[in-house]
mmCIF file of all heavy atoms in Angstrom:
data_model
loop_
_atom_site.group_PDB
_atom_site.id
_atom_site.type_symbol
_atom_site.label_atom_id
_atom_site.label_comp_id
_atom_site.label_asym_id
_atom_site.label_seq_id
_atom_site.Cartn_x
_atom_site.Cartn_y
_atom_site.Cartn_z
ATOM 1 N N GLY N 1 65.867 57.398 -87.421
ATOM 2 C CA GLY N 1 65.040 56.242 -87.145
ATOM 3 C C GLY N 1 64.061 55.922 -88.247
ATOM 4 O O GLY N 1 63.463 54.832 -88.246
ATOM 5 N N GLY N 2 63.907 56.831 -89.170
ATOM 6 C CA GLY N 2 62.980 56.639 -90.256
ATOM 7 C C GLY N 2 63.575 55.873 -91.417
ATOM 8 O O GLY N 2 64.709 55.401 -91.365
ATOM 9 N N SER N 3 62.800 55.781 -92.483
ATOM 10 C CA SER N 3 63.195 55.033 -93.665
ATOM 11 C C SER N 3 63.022 55.864 -94.923
ATOM 12 O O SER N 3 62.209 56.787 -94.974
ATOM 13 C CB SER N 3 62.357 53.757 -93.798
ATOM 14 O OG SER N 3 62.561 52.882 -92.706
ATOM 15 N N LEU N 4 63.784 55.503 -95.922
ATOM 16 C CA LEU N 4 63.719 56.172 -97.206
ATOM 17 C C LEU N 4 64.162 55.185 -98.278
ATOM 18 O O LEU N 4 65.059 54.371 -98.037
ATOM 19 C CB LEU N 4 64.616 57.404 -97.211
ATOM 20 C CG LEU N 4 64.384 58.483 -98.268
ATOM 21 C CD1 LEU N 4 63.012 59.126 -98.087
ATOM 22 C CD2 LEU N 4 65.473 59.547 -98.164
ATOM 23 N N ARG N 5 63.550 55.269 -99.428
ATOM 24 C CA ARG N 5 63.933 54.428 -100.556
ATOM 25 C C ARG N 5 64.327 55.328 -101.714
ATOM 26 O O ARG N 5 63.538 56.158 -102.153
ATOM 27 C CB ARG N 5 62.779 53.514 -100.971
ATOM 28 C CG ARG N 5 63.139 52.518 -102.075
ATOM 29 C CD ARG N 5 61.948 51.616 -102.392
ATOM 30 N NE ARG N 5 62.244 50.635 -103.422
ATOM 31 C CZ ARG N 5 62.754 49.438 -103.201
ATOM 32 N NH1 ARG N 5 63.041 49.050 -101.960
ATOM 33 N NH2 ARG N 5 62.987 48.606 -104.209
ATOM 34 N N ILE N 6 65.546 55.152 -102.187
ATOM 35 C CA ILE N 6 66.013 55.907 -103.334
ATOM 36 C C ILE N 6 66.203 54.962 -104.510
ATOM 37 O O ILE N 6 66.468 53.773 -104.338
ATOM 38 C CB ILE N 6 67.318 56.685 -103.038
ATOM 39 C CG1 ILE N 6 68.424 55.758 -102.531
ATOM 40 C CG2 ILE N 6 67.044 57.788 -102.018
ATOM 41 C CD1 ILE N 6 69.755 56.459 -102.318
ATOM 42 N N SER N 7 66.064 55.509 -105.702
ATOM 43 C CA SER N 7 66.127 54.691 -106.896
ATOM 44 C C SER N 7 67.033 55.319 -107.939
ATOM 45 O O SER N 7 67.295 56.520 -107.918
ATOM 46 C CB SER N 7 64.728 54.494 -107.482
ATOM 47 O OG SER N 7 63.881 53.811 -106.586
ATOM 48 N N CYS N 8 67.485 54.486 -108.838
ATOM 49 C CA CYS N 8 68.340 54.900 -109.938
ATOM 50 C C CYS N 8 67.798 54.263 -111.200
ATOM 51 O O CYS N 8 67.699 53.029 -111.292
ATOM 52 C CB CYS N 8 69.780 54.448 -109.665
ATOM 53 S SG CYS N 8 70.903 54.562 -111.061
ATOM 54 N N VAL N 9 67.437 55.090 -112.161
ATOM 55 C CA VAL N 9 66.897 54.604 -113.422
ATOM 56 C C VAL N 9 67.930 54.785 -114.523
ATOM 57 O O VAL N 9 68.489 55.875 -114.681
ATOM 58 C CB VAL N 9 65.590 55.334 -113.788
ATOM 59 C CG1 VAL N 9 65.067 54.836 -115.132
ATOM 60 C CG2 VAL N 9 64.546 55.122 -112.705
ATOM 61 N N ALA N 10 68.170 53.731 -115.259
ATOM 62 C CA ALA N 10 69.132 53.757 -116.349
ATOM 63 C C ALA N 10 68.447 54.035 -117.673
ATOM 64 O O ALA N 10 67.285 53.679 -117.880
ATOM 65 C CB ALA N 10 69.893 52.441 -116.426
ATOM 66 N N SER N 11 69.173 54.654 -118.577
ATOM 67 C CA SER N 11 68.627 55.018 -119.875
ATOM 68 C C SER N 11 68.556 53.853 -120.849
ATOM 69 O O SER N 11 67.927 53.968 -121.899
ATOM 70 C CB SER N 11 69.469 56.139 -120.494
ATOM 71 O OG SER N 11 70.801 55.706 -120.694
ATOM 72 N N GLU N 12 69.194 52.756 -120.513
ATOM 73 C CA GLU N 12 69.179 51.580 -121.352
ATOM 74 C C GLU N 12 69.278 50.344 -120.475
ATOM 75 O O GLU N 12 69.420 50.446 -119.259
ATOM 76 C CB GLU N 12 70.317 51.616 -122.381
ATOM 77 C CG GLU N 12 71.703 51.669 -121.768
ATOM 78 C CD GLU N 12 72.789 51.888 -122.799
ATOM 79 O OE1 GLU N 12 72.737 52.906 -123.508
ATOM 80 O OE2 GLU N 12 73.684 51.020 -122.899
ATOM 81 N N SER N 13 69.221 49.194 -121.088
ATOM 82 C CA SER N 13 69.230 47.944 -120.346
ATOM 83 C C SER N 13 70.455 47.812 -119.448
ATOM 84 O O SER N 13 71.573 48.102 -119.846
ATOM 85 C CB SER N 13 69.179 46.761 -121.312
ATOM 86 O OG SER N 13 69.274 45.534 -120.613
ATOM 87 N N ILE N 14 70.217 47.347 -118.222
ATOM 88 C CA ILE N 14 71.314 47.058 -117.303
ATOM 89 C C ILE N 14 71.478 45.556 -117.095
ATOM 90 O O ILE N 14 72.299 45.130 -116.284
ATOM 91 C CB ILE N 14 71.123 47.753 -115.939
ATOM 92 C CG1 ILE N 14 69.855 47.235 -115.241
ATOM 93 C CG2 ILE N 14 71.079 49.263 -116.097
ATOM 94 C CD1 ILE N 14 69.750 47.661 -113.784
ATOM 95 N N ARG N 15 70.725 44.778 -117.824
ATOM 96 C CA ARG N 15 70.729 43.329 -117.631
ATOM 97 C C ARG N 15 72.120 42.735 -117.717
ATOM 98 O O ARG N 15 72.450 41.810 -116.971
ATOM 99 C CB ARG N 15 69.809 42.675 -118.663
ATOM 100 C CG ARG N 15 69.715 41.165 -118.554
ATOM 101 C CD ARG N 15 68.707 40.604 -119.529
ATOM 102 N NE ARG N 15 69.069 40.907 -120.902
ATOM 103 C CZ ARG N 15 69.893 40.171 -121.648
ATOM 104 N NH1 ARG N 15 70.447 39.076 -121.138
ATOM 105 N NH2 ARG N 15 70.160 40.517 -122.897
ATOM 106 N N ARG N 16 72.941 43.244 -118.623
ATOM 107 C CA ARG N 16 74.273 42.689 -118.828
ATOM 108 C C ARG N 16 75.367 43.418 -118.056
ATOM 109 O O ARG N 16 76.538 43.096 -118.218
ATOM 110 C CB ARG N 16 74.609 42.657 -120.313
ATOM 111 C CG ARG N 16 73.812 41.606 -121.068
ATOM 112 C CD ARG N 16 74.123 41.597 -122.538
ATOM 113 N NE ARG N 16 73.528 40.446 -123.199
ATOM 114 C CZ ARG N 16 73.528 40.236 -124.498
ATOM 115 N NH1 ARG N 16 74.108 41.110 -125.305
ATOM 116 N NH2 ARG N 16 72.954 39.155 -125.000
ATOM 117 N N ILE N 17 74.980 44.378 -117.248
ATOM 118 C CA ILE N 17 75.949 45.019 -116.376
ATOM 119 C C ILE N 17 76.049 44.184 -115.109
ATOM 120 O O ILE N 17 75.096 44.115 -114.330
ATOM 121 C CB ILE N 17 75.558 46.473 -116.046
ATOM 122 C CG1 ILE N 17 75.461 47.289 -117.332
ATOM 123 C CG2 ILE N 17 76.572 47.091 -115.085
ATOM 124 C CD1 ILE N 17 75.005 48.720 -117.120
ATOM 125 N N ARG N 18 77.180 43.545 -114.931
ATOM 126 C CA ARG N 18 77.357 42.607 -113.835
ATOM 127 C C ARG N 18 77.020 43.227 -112.480
ATOM 128 O O ARG N 18 76.266 42.653 -111.693
ATOM 129 C CB ARG N 18 78.791 42.072 -113.840
ATOM 130 C CG ARG N 18 79.185 41.266 -112.605
ATOM 131 C CD ARG N 18 78.458 39.954 -112.532
ATOM 132 N NE ARG N 18 78.960 39.151 -111.426
ATOM 133 C CZ ARG N 18 78.408 38.044 -110.992
ATOM 134 N NH1 ARG N 18 77.305 37.577 -111.577
ATOM 135 N NH2 ARG N 18 78.942 37.390 -109.972
ATOM 136 N N THR N 19 77.591 44.399 -112.226
ATOM 137 C CA THR N 19 77.449 44.996 -110.909
ATOM 138 C C THR N 19 76.953 46.433 -110.991
ATOM 139 O O THR N 19 77.472 47.239 -111.770
ATOM 140 C CB THR N 19 78.787 44.971 -110.145
ATOM 141 O OG1 THR N 19 79.295 43.632 -110.108
ATOM 142 C CG2 THR N 19 78.606 45.474 -108.720
ATOM 143 N N MET N 20 75.959 46.736 -110.173
ATOM 144 C CA MET N 20 75.486 48.087 -109.961
ATOM 145 C C MET N 20 75.694 48.415 -108.489
ATOM 146 O O MET N 20 75.610 47.534 -107.633
ATOM 147 C CB MET N 20 74.013 48.225 -110.323
ATOM 148 C CG MET N 20 73.681 47.917 -111.776
ATOM 149 S SD MET N 20 74.307 49.178 -112.915
ATOM 150 C CE MET N 20 73.308 50.595 -112.435
ATOM 151 N N GLY N 21 75.960 49.666 -108.207
ATOM 152 C CA GLY N 21 76.239 50.015 -106.827
ATOM 153 C C GLY N 21 75.744 51.380 -106.414
ATOM 154 O O GLY N 21 75.319 52.192 -107.243
ATOM 155 N N TRP N 22 75.801 51.599 -105.116
ATOM 156 C CA TRP N 22 75.493 52.889 -104.518
ATOM 157 C C TRP N 22 76.704 53.379 -103.728
ATOM 158 O O TRP N 22 77.337 52.590 -103.006
ATOM 159 C CB TRP N 22 74.293 52.819 -103.577
ATOM 160 C CG TRP N 22 72.968 52.745 -104.262
ATOM 161 C CD1 TRP N 22 72.221 51.640 -104.511
ATOM 162 C CD2 TRP N 22 72.219 53.857 -104.763
ATOM 163 N NE1 TRP N 22 71.058 51.972 -105.138
ATOM 164 C CE2 TRP N 22 71.023 53.335 -105.308
ATOM 165 C CE3 TRP N 22 72.426 55.233 -104.808
ATOM 166 C CZ2 TRP N 22 70.048 54.146 -105.896
ATOM 167 C CZ3 TRP N 22 71.461 56.036 -105.392
ATOM 168 C CH2 TRP N 22 70.297 55.492 -105.921
ATOM 169 N N PHE N 23 76.990 54.650 -103.884
ATOM 170 C CA PHE N 23 78.020 55.328 -103.116
ATOM 171 C C PHE N 23 77.401 56.556 -102.473
ATOM 172 O O PHE N 23 76.310 56.987 -102.849
ATOM 173 C CB PHE N 23 79.192 55.758 -104.017
ATOM 174 C CG PHE N 23 80.062 54.632 -104.497
ATOM 175 C CD1 PHE N 23 79.580 53.697 -105.395
ATOM 176 C CD2 PHE N 23 81.379 54.524 -104.069
ATOM 177 C CE1 PHE N 23 80.373 52.665 -105.857
ATOM 178 C CE2 PHE N 23 82.192 53.500 -104.521
ATOM 179 C CZ PHE N 23 81.690 52.571 -105.412
ATOM 180 N N ARG N 24 78.104 57.136 -101.519
ATOM 181 C CA ARG N 24 77.631 58.369 -100.917
ATOM 182 C C ARG N 24 78.808 59.266 -100.571
ATOM 183 O O ARG N 24 79.922 58.799 -100.383
ATOM 184 C CB ARG N 24 76.782 58.100 -99.672
ATOM 185 C CG ARG N 24 77.548 57.517 -98.497
ATOM 186 C CD ARG N 24 76.579 57.149 -97.379
ATOM 187 N NE ARG N 24 77.274 56.623 -96.217
ATOM 188 C CZ ARG N 24 76.659 56.134 -95.150
ATOM 189 N NH1 ARG N 24 75.324 56.109 -95.094
ATOM 190 N NH2 ARG N 24 77.372 55.676 -94.130
ATOM 191 N N GLN N 25 78.527 60.553 -100.487
ATOM 192 C CA GLN N 25 79.558 61.508 -100.134
ATOM 193 C C GLN N 25 78.959 62.613 -99.275
ATOM 194 O O GLN N 25 78.013 63.285 -99.685
ATOM 195 C CB GLN N 25 80.204 62.113 -101.380
ATOM 196 C CG GLN N 25 81.396 63.004 -101.072
ATOM 197 C CD GLN N 25 82.198 63.339 -102.314
ATOM 198 O OE1 GLN N 25 81.691 63.287 -103.433
ATOM 199 N NE2 GLN N 25 83.461 63.681 -102.118
ATOM 200 N N ALA N 26 79.522 62.775 -98.098
ATOM 201 C CA ALA N 26 79.121 63.826 -97.185
ATOM 202 C C ALA N 26 80.150 64.948 -97.241
ATOM 203 O O ALA N 26 81.314 64.718 -97.581
ATOM 204 C CB ALA N 26 79.009 63.287 -95.763
ATOM 205 N N PRO N 27 79.757 66.171 -96.888
ATOM 206 C CA PRO N 27 80.713 67.282 -96.882
ATOM 207 C C PRO N 27 81.927 66.967 -96.025
ATOM 208 O O PRO N 27 81.792 66.480 -94.902
ATOM 209 C CB PRO N 27 79.903 68.440 -96.301
ATOM 210 C CG PRO N 27 78.493 68.116 -96.664
ATOM 211 C CD PRO N 27 78.399 66.623 -96.536
ATOM 212 N N GLY N 28 83.109 67.239 -96.565
ATOM 213 C CA GLY N 28 84.331 66.997 -95.833
ATOM 214 C C GLY N 28 84.811 65.560 -95.845
ATOM 215 O O GLY N 28 85.821 65.248 -95.200
ATOM 216 N N LYS N 29 84.126 64.692 -96.542
ATOM 217 C CA LYS N 29 84.501 63.287 -96.605
ATOM 218 C C LYS N 29 84.651 62.849 -98.056
ATOM 219 O O LYS N 29 84.080 63.450 -98.968
ATOM 220 C CB LYS N 29 83.459 62.414 -95.914
ATOM 221 C CG LYS N 29 83.279 62.701 -94.437
ATOM 222 C CD LYS N 29 82.225 61.804 -93.823
ATOM 223 C CE LYS N 29 82.639 60.346 -93.847
ATOM 224 N NZ LYS N 29 81.624 59.466 -93.207
ATOM 225 N N GLN N 30 85.428 61.804 -98.251
ATOM 226 C CA GLN N 30 85.556 61.218 -99.575
ATOM 227 C C GLN N 30 84.317 60.401 -99.900
ATOM 228 O O GLN N 30 83.590 59.953 -99.011
ATOM 229 C CB GLN N 30 86.788 60.313 -99.648
ATOM 230 C CG GLN N 30 88.117 61.031 -99.601
ATOM 231 C CD GLN N 30 89.258 60.122 -99.997
ATOM 232 O OE1 GLN N 30 89.507 59.916 -101.193
ATOM 233 N NE2 GLN N 30 89.930 59.574 -99.008
ATOM 234 N N ARG N 31 84.093 60.223 -101.178
ATOM 235 C CA ARG N 31 83.003 59.364 -101.592
ATOM 236 C C ARG N 31 83.290 57.937 -101.128
ATOM 237 O O ARG N 31 84.402 57.433 -101.291
ATOM 238 C CB ARG N 31 82.843 59.407 -103.114
ATOM 239 C CG ARG N 31 81.634 58.655 -103.623
ATOM 240 C CD ARG N 31 81.385 58.938 -105.101
ATOM 241 N NE ARG N 31 81.089 60.338 -105.339
ATOM 242 C CZ ARG N 31 80.677 60.831 -106.505
ATOM 243 N NH1 ARG N 31 80.514 60.015 -107.545
ATOM 244 N NH2 ARG N 31 80.440 62.125 -106.635
ATOM 245 N N GLU N 32 82.303 57.314 -100.545
ATOM 246 C CA GLU N 32 82.492 55.974 -100.022
ATOM 247 C C GLU N 32 81.472 55.006 -100.607
ATOM 248 O O GLU N 32 80.331 55.367 -100.886
ATOM 249 C CB GLU N 32 82.401 55.958 -98.490
ATOM 250 C CG GLU N 32 81.036 56.345 -97.937
ATOM 251 C CD GLU N 32 80.939 56.187 -96.434
ATOM 252 O OE1 GLU N 32 81.792 55.504 -95.837
ATOM 253 O OE2 GLU N 32 79.995 56.755 -95.847
ATOM 254 N N TRP N 33 81.892 53.789 -100.757
ATOM 255 C CA TRP N 33 81.033 52.738 -101.241
ATOM 256 C C TRP N 33 80.022 52.352 -100.173
ATOM 257 O O TRP N 33 80.358 52.239 -98.995
ATOM 258 C CB TRP N 33 81.884 51.522 -101.629
ATOM 259 C CG TRP N 33 81.101 50.289 -101.916
ATOM 260 C CD1 TRP N 33 80.343 50.033 -103.019
ATOM 261 C CD2 TRP N 33 81.022 49.131 -101.088
ATOM 262 N NE1 TRP N 33 79.777 48.780 -102.932
ATOM 263 C CE2 TRP N 33 80.186 48.205 -101.759
ATOM 264 C CE3 TRP N 33 81.572 48.781 -99.857
ATOM 265 C CZ2 TRP N 33 79.892 46.957 -101.233
ATOM 266 C CZ3 TRP N 33 81.287 47.537 -99.331
ATOM 267 C CH2 TRP N 33 80.453 46.641 -100.007
#
């Protein structure tokens, strides 16, 4: 029921990277978008 904010910092400009995304993977499961 709570909230959390996670972040991803890039080492260089991401301005020209069309798409950025988040995936997750739990034990026993494939990585999912």
Side-chain angles (χ1 to χ4, degrees):
S3 297
L4 199 64
R5 185 178 181 88
I6 56 176
S7 298
C8 168
V9 178
S11 61
E12 60 188 58
S13 176
I14 63 168
R15 181 175 61 86
R16 289 179 170 174
I17 300 177
R18 170 69 174 170
T19 306
M20 299 290 294
W22 284 98
F23 288 68
R24 67 186 182 185
Q25 186 167 23
K29 298 180 65 178
Q30 290 193 82
R31 186 170 297 188
E32 64 174 344
W33 170 74

